DNA sequence: ATCAGCACCTGTTGGC
DNA sequence: TGCCAACAGGTGCTGA
């Protein structure tokens, strides 16, 4: 479900609510929700939350001990602080010494909590953040140089760029007027620069609107985002392009639905 | 390097 | 109305 804008929204909402709170107990109701590459859930007990931020699509909880707890919500995960009522599909409950809690709920059981000792960026093998000021057009072009993979598929590779998912890959390519099937290494310098601009523009707008709720995404307050109303191509197969009225096409790339305007993107 | 296929899960939707 | 295949904001593994 959530991509960069949704995770950014959740992390910003959670930060003031969780910072400074001490973990007293963790209730794991679906064991596979704990990523076995990290520590066991009990490692969190006694630790205090120092801050909450986003790394790629991970909600990243920094702990006073120096450890990091990362949550990946995958398709349908939700993180809710101090829920007023029991949530359906609750997989993990982190209880605080003050009596409150943080709940991970997830219908499809794909979401994962991982407790990391060292540098989380390294452990998660994340590429550069789209908003990193070091990501210049030249560096962006450099990432794509020589790659024959289709640009849409390239954008989804978290080891290159961290945070782009299926919605915003299609949206940014439409905004930059680049066909999703173009080999990444074949983008011109102008196209590379335009795509980087479009990625940032689309992501920034989506963050402003608190993310896109296409199906069941909700933020840390349980509320949907608003950006789905602004989507230009994602989920609009067969509908007229907002720019030229030609029907939006849907194709499958890397097993993911991909939407584009065959007229605007050539 | 790259890609297709499948696995992980459950719920909703659209076509017949 | 009812059934059932297709599909879903993601990743990770295998094998070609």
């Amino acid at each position: 479900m959530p991509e960069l804008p949704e995770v950014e929204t959740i992390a910003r909402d959670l930060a003031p609510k969780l910072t400074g709170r001490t973990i007293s107990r963790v209730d794991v109701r679906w064991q596979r929700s704990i990523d076995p590459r990290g520590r066991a859930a009990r490692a969190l007990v006694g630790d205090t939350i120092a801050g909450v931020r986003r790394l790629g699509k991970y909600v990243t909880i920094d702990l006073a001990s120096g450890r990091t707890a990362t949550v990946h919500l995958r398709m349908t995960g939700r993180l809710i602080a101090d829920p007023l009522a029991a949530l359906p599909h609750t997989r993990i409950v982190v209880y605080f010494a003050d009596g409150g809690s943080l709940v991970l709920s997830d219908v499809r059981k794909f979401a994962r909590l991982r407790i990391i000792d060292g540098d989380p960026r390294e452990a998660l093998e994340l590429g550069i953040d789209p908003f990193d000021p070091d990501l210049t057009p030249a560096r962006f072009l450099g990432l794509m140089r020589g790659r024959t993979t289709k640009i849409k598929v390239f954008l989804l590779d978290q080891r290159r760029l961290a945070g782009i998912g299926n919605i915003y890959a299609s949206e940014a390519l439409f905004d930059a007027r680049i066909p999703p099937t173009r080999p990444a290494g074949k983008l011109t310098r102008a196209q590379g620069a335009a795509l980087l601009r479009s990625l940032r523009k689309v992501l920034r707008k989506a963050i402003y609107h608190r993310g896109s709720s296409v199906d069941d995404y909700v933020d840390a307050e349980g509320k949907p985002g608003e950006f789905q109303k602004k989507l230009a191509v994602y989920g609009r197969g067969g509908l007229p392009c907002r720019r030229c009225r030609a029907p939006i096409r849907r194709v499958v790339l890397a097993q993911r639905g991909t939407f584009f305007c065959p007229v605007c993107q050539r």
Side-chain angles (χ1 to χ4, degrees):
Chain A
M1 117 178 128
E3 305 181 32
L4 187 154
E6 293 77 27
V7 177
E8 183 70 33
T9 300
I10 292 168
R12 286 182 188 178
D13 284 357
L14 288 177
K17 294 182 180 187
L18 300 185
T19 301
R21 298 173 81 177
T22 297
I23 296 161
S24 57
R25 189 162 70 86
V26 184
D27 181 9
V28 179
R29 302 193 194 172
W30 181 254
Q31 192 54 46
R32 298 170 91 157
S33 300
I34 302 292
D35 191 323
R37 291 172 294 186
R39 291 194 171 259
R42 79 183 92 83
L44 295 173
V45 175
D47 219 329
T48 297
I49 295 177
V52 184
R53 61 194 164 122
R54 175 188 64 76
L55 278 179
K57 297 177 195 169
Y58 292 84
V59 177
T60 303
I61 301 172
D62 297 308
L63 298 161
S65 63
R67 283 190 185 138
T68 309
T70 61
V71 178
H72 199 303
L73 298 165
R74 298 286 182 98
M75 303 285 267
T76 48
R78 302 174 174 195
L79 269 181
I80 309 283
D82 304 307
L84 298 173
L87 295 168
H89 316 296
T90 293
R91 306 305 175 196
I92 300 175
V93 187
V94 176
Y95 290 97
F96 299 114
D98 59 22
S101 65
L102 174 66
V103 172
L104 172 66
S105 88
D106 184 14
V107 200
R108 290 177 71 181
K109 303 179 175 172
F110 288 166
R112 293 289 180 270
L113 169 69
R114 179 167 170 183
I115 298 147
I116 296 166
D117 275 335
D119 175 10
R121 275 213 94 86
E122 212 162 286
L124 300 171
E125 297 181 76
L126 291 176
I128 192 164
D129 194 272
F131 289 114
D132 190 324
D134 290 343
L135 183 61
T136 58
R139 184 156 169 195
F140 185 50
L141 264 308
L143 291 176
M144 297 189 285
R145 190 164 301 137
R147 310 287 309 281
T148 59
T149 193
K150 297 172 176 65
I151 184 62
K152 159 73 171 5
V153 179
F154 170 85
L155 290 175
L156 296 179
D157 184 347
Q158 302 300 301
R159 292 164 308 181
R160 310 283 168 180
L161 275 184
I164 314 296
N166 209 32
I167 293 181
Y168 301 105
S170 283
E171 292 296 312
L173 287 167
F174 172 78
D175 192 73
R177 302 201 184 201
I178 297 167
T181 48
R182 176 143 309 168
K186 289 254 164 112
L187 264 62
T188 63
R189 295 176 67 175
Q191 284 178 319
L195 181 53
L196 182 56
R197 273 198 308 276
S198 293
L199 280 168
R200 287 174 168 163
K201 174 178 150 192
V202 166
L203 293 170
R204 203 166 13 237
K205 274 195 191 177
I207 292 169
Y208 176 79
H209 292 284
R210 301 182 59 79
S212 301
S213 295
V214 169
D215 187 19
D216 58 1
Y217 159 75
V218 290
D219 62 27
E221 329 246 271
K223 293 187 302 219
E226 297 291 327
F227 193 69
Q228 67 280 6
K229 297 169 188 166
K230 314 247 173 193
L231 296 176
V233 287
Y234 184 84
R236 298 192 65 246
L239 297 173
C241 171
R242 297 194 196 281
R243 186 187 277 142
C244 78
R245 305 276 104 193
I248 298 298
R249 285 194 51 198
R250 178 186 186 274
V251 295
V252 174
L253 298 179
Q255 289 84 246
R256 318 293 305 279
T258 302
F259 299 87
F260 68 104
C261 172
V263 175
C264 295
Q265 293 169 263
R266 26 168 105 254

